[in-house]
Amino acid sequence: MAESRTAWAAGITAVMMVIEITAGWLYQSMALLADGWHMSSHALALGLSVAVYAYARKHAQDRRFTFGTWKVEVLGGYTSAVLLMGVAFYMAWQSVERLLSPVDIDYDRAIAVGAVGLVVNLVCAWLLKDAHGHDHGHGHGHGHSHGHDHGHAHTDLNLRAAYLHVVADAATSVLAIVALFGGKWWGAVWLDPLMGIAGAVLVAVWAWGLLRQSGSVLLDANGDAPVAEEIREAVATLPVPADITDLHVWQVGKGKFACIVAVVTDQPLAPDVIRRAIGIHEELVHITVEVNRRGAPA
C-alpha cells in the first residue's frame, strides 16, 4: 500500500514539476519557479522512496540482512531529509537574488498555475496521509502496569519523508499564491521572493526534524527509549537481586528492538529467568543475557 501510493505521488509530482518550472520561467515568478524546483527535488525524493520499498521487498529474505531490511527504509528517509535541506538552501539563495533584482511577473497566469500545483500537492498528501499521525501506539497487556507509548517506533520514516516532501510542496504553493496575489493587488513585488525565503525556512525546519529522527535510528541512539527503562524495571523485580552492569538496546524493525543485558548477582541466577522477565515486553524480539557472580574472576 505504502509503495503504490508513493509511486502515484511521485508520478503526479513529476508532471506538476515540469508545469511549474516552465510556467515560473515564462511568467517571471520567483515564488512559482522556486516551488517548481522545490517540487523537482521532491519528485526525486519520492522516486527514491519507491526505490527503497522495492529494494527492501527484493531483499526481504536475504541472509546478509540479519534483522531484515527495515533500516533501508530509514536510510531512505534520512537521504530524503538531506535533499530537503538542500532544497531549502537553494530556495533561499534564489529568493535573495530575486529580492535584490526584481522582475516583472505575469500574475494572472502564475496564480492559475500555483493553484493547480496546490491541488496536486494536496492530492499527494492525501495519498500519503498514513505516514503522519498514525503511529499505532499500543499499551502492553502482559499483567504489568505502565503507560509507556512506543508509537514512535512504528513510524515508517521512508513514508513520513515522502509525506513531508509533499506537505512542504503544499506549504510553498500556498506561500507562492499569497505572494502573487499581494504583488497583483498591492504592487508588493518584494512579497514574491520574501515568500520564497519563508518557504525555505519552513522546509529547513521540517528537514532538520526528519534528520534527527532518522539519524537517531541509524545511530542506534535508543539508550533513553522507554523500552530501556522497561528492561531495568524487569530486572529490578527478579526473585534474586541483580544489578545491571551493561545494557545495549537497538531498533531492528518497526516497533521491534533487540537488547544485550549483563547483570551481576550475589546468588545463582539462570539467564533464562531474566530472559523470561524481559521477554514479556512484546517489542523485544531478540534478547541476549549475561549473568556474573559478584566477586568472581572476570
Side-chain angles (χ1 to χ4, degrees):
M1 177 66 74
E3 183 178 351
S4 62
R5 288 190 174 195
T6 305
W8 271 103
I12 295 171
T13 300
V15 172
M16 195 61 220
M17 166 203 76
V18 174
I19 295 173
E20 281 205 321
I21 291 176
T22 303
W25 179 73
L26 289 174
Y27 308 143
Q28 297 294 308
S29 169
M30 185 56 226
L32 196 59
L33 189 61
D35 192 31
W37 282 115
H38 180 211
M39 192 174 279
S40 72
S41 72
H42 291 187
L44 177 62
L46 289 170
L48 173 65
S49 295
V50 174
V52 164
Y53 283 125
Y55 183 90
R57 185 180 67 253
K58 179 180 178 181
H59 295 277
Q61 305 302 321
D62 193 327
R63 290 189 175 184
R64 293 176 300 169
F65 297 95
T66 307
F67 291 108
T69 55
W70 173 72
K71 279 194 176 180
V72 175
E73 297 176 16
V74 181
L75 181 60
Y78 184 87
T79 305
S80 290
V82 172
L83 287 174
L84 263 177
M85 195 64 77
V87 166
F89 281 115
Y90 177 78
M91 287 173 62
W93 176 72
Q94 287 282 356
S95 297
V96 169
E97 187 178 63
R98 186 58 60 86
L99 190 63
L100 297 174
S101 304
V103 297
D104 293 330
I105 300 173
D106 187 337
Y107 289 110
D108 291 334
R109 293 179 180 177
I111 289 171
V113 174
V116 173
L118 176 59
V119 171
V120 167
N121 290 324
L122 292 176
V123 169
C124 290
W126 176 80
L127 284 171
L128 303 171
K129 66 183 184 301
D130 288 339
H132 189 74
H134 298 280
D135 294 340
H136 310 293
H138 63 276
H140 299 302
H142 304 291
H144 57 286
S145 60
H146 53 75
H148 295 313
D149 178 12
H150 299 285
H152 68 283
H154 292 262
T155 304
D156 185 333
L157 291 175
N158 188 49
L159 188 59
R160 179 170 182 260
Y163 178 82
L164 283 181
H165 274 283
V166 297
V167 169
D169 268 335
T172 53
S173 291
V174 170
L175 292 175
I177 292 170
V178 169
L180 290 168
F181 271 115
K184 177 184 178 181
W185 289 342
W186 306 311
V189 180
W190 50 269
L191 264 179
D192 188 72
L194 186 64
M195 286 302 184
I197 294 172
V201 172
L202 186 63
V203 171
V205 170
W206 285 336
W208 177 246
L210 183 57
L211 276 172
R212 289 185 60 185
Q213 186 177 3
S214 55
S216 176
V217 174
L218 291 174
L219 294 173
D220 293 319
N222 293 295
D224 60 347
V227 67
E229 183 58 31
E230 289 176 346
I231 293 171
R232 295 186 181 95
E233 291 175 0
V235 171
T237 60
L238 291 171
V240 173
D243 297 320
I244 295 178
T245 57
D246 202 11
L247 175 61
H248 300 280
V249 180
W250 66 101
Q251 196 168 347
V252 296
K254 296 185 184 70
K256 303 299 180 183
F257 292 82
C259 72
I260 299 175
V261 186
V263 303
V264 61
T265 70
D266 291 314
Q267 305 173 40
L269 180 63
D272 281 346
V273 174
I274 301 176
R275 191 174 291 108
R276 283 195 297 272
I278 296 174
I280 65 174
H281 300 287
E282 61 190 21
E283 64 271 39
L284 287 166
V285 296
H286 185 82
I287 302 170
T288 301
V289 176
E290 176 185 326
V291 180
N292 297 299
R293 292 290 296 275
R294 205 181 302 275

PDB file of all heavy atoms in Angstrom, residues 130-138 149-156 160 213:
ATOM      1  N   ASP A 130      -1.196   8.440   5.736  1.00  0.00           N
ATOM      2  CA  ASP A 130      -0.965   7.477   6.803  1.00  0.00           C
ATOM      3  C   ASP A 130       0.430   7.577   7.393  1.00  0.00           C
ATOM      4  O   ASP A 130       0.728   6.954   8.403  1.00  0.00           O
ATOM      5  CB  ASP A 130      -1.182   6.048   6.293  1.00  0.00           C
ATOM      6  CG  ASP A 130      -2.653   5.754   6.059  1.00  0.00           C
ATOM      7  OD1 ASP A 130      -3.481   6.467   6.652  1.00  0.00           O
ATOM      8  OD2 ASP A 130      -2.956   4.841   5.286  1.00  0.00           O
ATOM      9  N   ALA A 131       1.310   8.354   6.753  1.00  0.00           N
ATOM     10  CA  ALA A 131       2.671   8.489   7.275  1.00  0.00           C
ATOM     11  C   ALA A 131       2.723   9.409   8.471  1.00  0.00           C
ATOM     12  O   ALA A 131       3.705   9.446   9.192  1.00  0.00           O
ATOM     13  CB  ALA A 131       3.595   9.042   6.183  1.00  0.00           C
ATOM     14  N   HIS A 132       1.664  10.183   8.697  1.00  0.00           N
ATOM     15  CA  HIS A 132       1.716  11.211   9.728  1.00  0.00           C
ATOM     16  C   HIS A 132       0.562  11.053  10.698  1.00  0.00           C
ATOM     17  O   HIS A 132      -0.580  11.058  10.313  1.00  0.00           O
ATOM     18  CB  HIS A 132       1.642  12.594   9.066  1.00  0.00           C
ATOM     19  CG  HIS A 132       1.903  13.711  10.016  1.00  0.00           C
ATOM     20  ND1 HIS A 132       3.154  13.992  10.486  1.00  0.00           N
ATOM     21  CD2 HIS A 132       1.070  14.622  10.572  1.00  0.00           C
ATOM     22  CE1 HIS A 132       3.085  15.054  11.281  1.00  0.00           C
ATOM     23  NE2 HIS A 132       1.840  15.438  11.364  1.00  0.00           N
ATOM     24  N   GLY A 133       0.903  10.889  11.965  1.00  0.00           N
ATOM     25  CA  GLY A 133      -0.117  10.876  12.995  1.00  0.00           C
ATOM     26  C   GLY A 133      -0.827   9.551  13.187  1.00  0.00           C
ATOM     27  O   GLY A 133      -1.816   9.474  13.904  1.00  0.00           O
ATOM     28  N   HIS A 134      -0.350   8.475  12.552  1.00  0.00           N
ATOM     29  CA  HIS A 134      -0.964   7.158  12.732  1.00  0.00           C
ATOM     30  C   HIS A 134       0.123   6.149  13.084  1.00  0.00           C
ATOM     31  O   HIS A 134       0.389   5.229  12.338  1.00  0.00           O
ATOM     32  CB  HIS A 134      -1.697   6.710  11.459  1.00  0.00           C
ATOM     33  CG  HIS A 134      -2.811   7.629  11.098  1.00  0.00           C
ATOM     34  ND1 HIS A 134      -4.035   7.576  11.718  1.00  0.00           N
ATOM     35  CD2 HIS A 134      -2.878   8.635  10.197  1.00  0.00           C
ATOM     36  CE1 HIS A 134      -4.824   8.508  11.202  1.00  0.00           C
ATOM     37  NE2 HIS A 134      -4.155   9.160  10.285  1.00  0.00           N
ATOM     38  N   ASP A 135       0.752   6.350  14.240  1.00  0.00           N
ATOM     39  CA  ASP A 135       1.877   5.500  14.613  1.00  0.00           C
ATOM     40  C   ASP A 135       1.457   4.237  15.342  1.00  0.00           C
ATOM     41  O   ASP A 135       2.279   3.443  15.745  1.00  0.00           O
ATOM     42  CB  ASP A 135       2.844   6.293  15.521  1.00  0.00           C
ATOM     43  CG  ASP A 135       3.491   7.434  14.766  1.00  0.00           C
ATOM     44  OD1 ASP A 135       3.499   7.358  13.525  1.00  0.00           O
ATOM     45  OD2 ASP A 135       3.977   8.372  15.411  1.00  0.00           O
ATOM     46  N   HIS A 136       0.129   4.077  15.546  1.00  0.00           N
ATOM     47  CA  HIS A 136      -0.401   2.848  16.126  1.00  0.00           C
ATOM     48  C   HIS A 136       0.260   2.508  17.452  1.00  0.00           C
ATOM     49  O   HIS A 136       0.699   1.389  17.678  1.00  0.00           O
ATOM     50  CB  HIS A 136      -0.223   1.655  15.167  1.00  0.00           C
ATOM     51  CG  HIS A 136      -0.707   1.949  13.798  1.00  0.00           C
ATOM     52  ND1 HIS A 136      -2.036   2.150  13.508  1.00  0.00           N
ATOM     53  CD2 HIS A 136      -0.041   2.128  12.623  1.00  0.00           C
ATOM     54  CE1 HIS A 136      -2.176   2.411  12.219  1.00  0.00           C
ATOM     55  NE2 HIS A 136      -0.980   2.413  11.672  1.00  0.00           N
ATOM     56  N   GLY A 137       0.358   3.482  18.343  1.00  0.00           N
ATOM     57  CA  GLY A 137       0.901   3.225  19.672  1.00  0.00           C
ATOM     58  C   GLY A 137       0.037   2.200  20.394  1.00  0.00           C
ATOM     59  O   GLY A 137      -1.163   2.130  20.181  1.00  0.00           O
ATOM     60  N   HIS A 138       0.647   1.438  21.266  1.00  0.00           N
ATOM     61  CA  HIS A 138      -0.110   0.398  21.944  1.00  0.00           C
ATOM     62  C   HIS A 138       0.280   0.333  23.395  1.00  0.00           C
ATOM     63  O   HIS A 138       1.375   0.673  23.781  1.00  0.00           O
ATOM     64  CB  HIS A 138       0.125  -0.961  21.282  1.00  0.00           C
ATOM     65  CG  HIS A 138       1.541  -1.415  21.376  1.00  0.00           C
ATOM     66  ND1 HIS A 138       2.514  -1.012  20.494  1.00  0.00           N
ATOM     67  CD2 HIS A 138       2.159  -2.225  22.269  1.00  0.00           C
ATOM     68  CE1 HIS A 138       3.675  -1.563  20.824  1.00  0.00           C
ATOM     69  NE2 HIS A 138       3.473  -2.295  21.887  1.00  0.00           N
ATOM     70  N   ASP A 149       4.520   4.714  25.836  1.00  0.00           N
ATOM     71  CA  ASP A 149       3.959   4.709  24.480  1.00  0.00           C
ATOM     72  C   ASP A 149       5.085   4.459  23.492  1.00  0.00           C
ATOM     73  O   ASP A 149       6.024   5.225  23.413  1.00  0.00           O
ATOM     74  CB  ASP A 149       3.313   6.076  24.191  1.00  0.00           C
ATOM     75  CG  ASP A 149       2.763   6.154  22.785  1.00  0.00           C
ATOM     76  OD1 ASP A 149       2.683   5.103  22.132  1.00  0.00           O
ATOM     77  OD2 ASP A 149       2.420   7.270  22.362  1.00  0.00           O
ATOM     78  N   HIS A 150       4.973   3.374  22.764  1.00  0.00           N
ATOM     79  CA  HIS A 150       6.025   3.034  21.800  1.00  0.00           C
ATOM     80  C   HIS A 150       5.595   3.366  20.388  1.00  0.00           C
ATOM     81  O   HIS A 150       6.130   2.839  19.422  1.00  0.00           O
ATOM     82  CB  HIS A 150       6.373   1.543  21.899  1.00  0.00           C
ATOM     83  CG  HIS A 150       6.877   1.152  23.243  1.00  0.00           C
ATOM     84  ND1 HIS A 150       8.140   1.455  23.675  1.00  0.00           N
ATOM     85  CD2 HIS A 150       6.264   0.532  24.277  1.00  0.00           C
ATOM     86  CE1 HIS A 150       8.307   1.004  24.912  1.00  0.00           C
ATOM     87  NE2 HIS A 150       7.169   0.453  25.294  1.00  0.00           N
ATOM     88  N   GLY A 151       4.618   4.245  20.243  1.00  0.00           N
ATOM     89  CA  GLY A 151       4.093   4.565  18.916  1.00  0.00           C
ATOM     90  C   GLY A 151       5.137   5.075  17.966  1.00  0.00           C
ATOM     91  O   GLY A 151       5.126   4.781  16.785  1.00  0.00           O
ATOM     92  N   HIS A 152       6.107   5.872  18.496  1.00  0.00           N
ATOM     93  CA  HIS A 152       7.103   6.453  17.603  1.00  0.00           C
ATOM     94  C   HIS A 152       7.912   5.392  16.888  1.00  0.00           C
ATOM     95  O   HIS A 152       8.434   5.605  15.802  1.00  0.00           O
ATOM     96  CB  HIS A 152       8.045   7.354  18.416  1.00  0.00           C
ATOM     97  CG  HIS A 152       8.912   6.593  19.377  1.00  0.00           C
ATOM     98  ND1 HIS A 152       8.443   6.102  20.570  1.00  0.00           N
ATOM     99  CD2 HIS A 152      10.204   6.204  19.288  1.00  0.00           C
ATOM    100  CE1 HIS A 152       9.429   5.475  21.199  1.00  0.00           C
ATOM    101  NE2 HIS A 152      10.498   5.512  20.436  1.00  0.00           N
ATOM    102  N   ALA A 153       8.009   4.233  17.511  1.00  0.00           N
ATOM    103  CA  ALA A 153       8.828   3.178  16.920  1.00  0.00           C
ATOM    104  C   ALA A 153       8.175   2.563  15.702  1.00  0.00           C
ATOM    105  O   ALA A 153       8.820   1.886  14.924  1.00  0.00           O
ATOM    106  CB  ALA A 153       9.090   2.092  17.968  1.00  0.00           C
ATOM    107  N   HIS A 154       6.862   2.783  15.536  1.00  0.00           N
ATOM    108  CA  HIS A 154       6.145   2.161  14.436  1.00  0.00           C
ATOM    109  C   HIS A 154       6.117   3.050  13.188  1.00  0.00           C
ATOM    110  O   HIS A 154       5.571   2.655  12.185  1.00  0.00           O
ATOM    111  CB  HIS A 154       4.705   1.850  14.870  1.00  0.00           C
ATOM    112  CG  HIS A 154       4.627   0.769  15.904  1.00  0.00           C
ATOM    113  ND1 HIS A 154       4.344  -0.537  15.608  1.00  0.00           N
ATOM    114  CD2 HIS A 154       4.827   0.809  17.244  1.00  0.00           C
ATOM    115  CE1 HIS A 154       4.335  -1.259  16.709  1.00  0.00           C
ATOM    116  NE2 HIS A 154       4.627  -0.464  17.718  1.00  0.00           N
ATOM    117  N   THR A 155       6.650   4.243  13.282  1.00  0.00           N
ATOM    118  CA  THR A 155       6.567   5.165  12.159  1.00  0.00           C
ATOM    119  C   THR A 155       7.406   4.669  10.980  1.00  0.00           C
ATOM    120  O   THR A 155       8.561   4.295  11.142  1.00  0.00           O
ATOM    121  CB  THR A 155       7.068   6.561  12.584  1.00  0.00           C
ATOM    122  OG1 THR A 155       6.300   6.979  13.706  1.00  0.00           O
ATOM    123  CG2 THR A 155       6.912   7.554  11.453  1.00  0.00           C
ATOM    124  N   ASP A 156       6.818   4.677   9.803  1.00  0.00           N
ATOM    125  CA  ASP A 156       7.545   4.378   8.575  1.00  0.00           C
ATOM    126  C   ASP A 156       8.255   5.667   8.168  1.00  0.00           C
ATOM    127  O   ASP A 156       7.639   6.577   7.610  1.00  0.00           O
ATOM    128  CB  ASP A 156       6.558   3.931   7.494  1.00  0.00           C
ATOM    129  CG  ASP A 156       7.255   3.498   6.219  1.00  0.00           C
ATOM    130  OD1 ASP A 156       8.369   3.992   5.962  1.00  0.00           O
ATOM    131  OD2 ASP A 156       6.673   2.688   5.478  1.00  0.00           O
ATOM    132  N   ARG A 160       7.075   8.704   5.882  1.00  0.00           N
ATOM    133  CA  ARG A 160       6.961  10.019   6.519  1.00  0.00           C
ATOM    134  C   ARG A 160       7.781  11.055   5.760  1.00  0.00           C
ATOM    135  O   ARG A 160       7.375  12.210   5.607  1.00  0.00           O
ATOM    136  CB  ARG A 160       7.433   9.953   7.976  1.00  0.00           C
ATOM    137  CG  ARG A 160       7.347  11.307   8.680  1.00  0.00           C
ATOM    138  CD  ARG A 160       7.574  11.188  10.171  1.00  0.00           C
ATOM    139  NE  ARG A 160       7.440  12.504  10.779  1.00  0.00           N
ATOM    140  CZ  ARG A 160       8.460  13.271  11.121  1.00  0.00           C
ATOM    141  NH1 ARG A 160       9.696  12.854  10.915  1.00  0.00           N
ATOM    142  NH2 ARG A 160       8.273  14.459  11.668  1.00  0.00           N
ATOM    143  N   GLN A 213      15.338  12.464  13.630  1.00  0.00           N
ATOM    144  CA  GLN A 213      14.610  11.231  13.922  1.00  0.00           C
ATOM    145  C   GLN A 213      15.230  10.028  13.209  1.00  0.00           C
ATOM    146  O   GLN A 213      15.473   8.988  13.825  1.00  0.00           O
ATOM    147  CB  GLN A 213      13.141  11.379  13.521  1.00  0.00           C
ATOM    148  CG  GLN A 213      12.292  10.186  13.932  1.00  0.00           C
ATOM    149  CD  GLN A 213      10.827  10.371  13.584  1.00  0.00           C
ATOM    150  OE1 GLN A 213      10.428  11.358  12.980  1.00  0.00           O
ATOM    151  NE2 GLN A 213       9.997   9.412  13.966  1.00  0.00           N
TER     152      GLN A 213
END
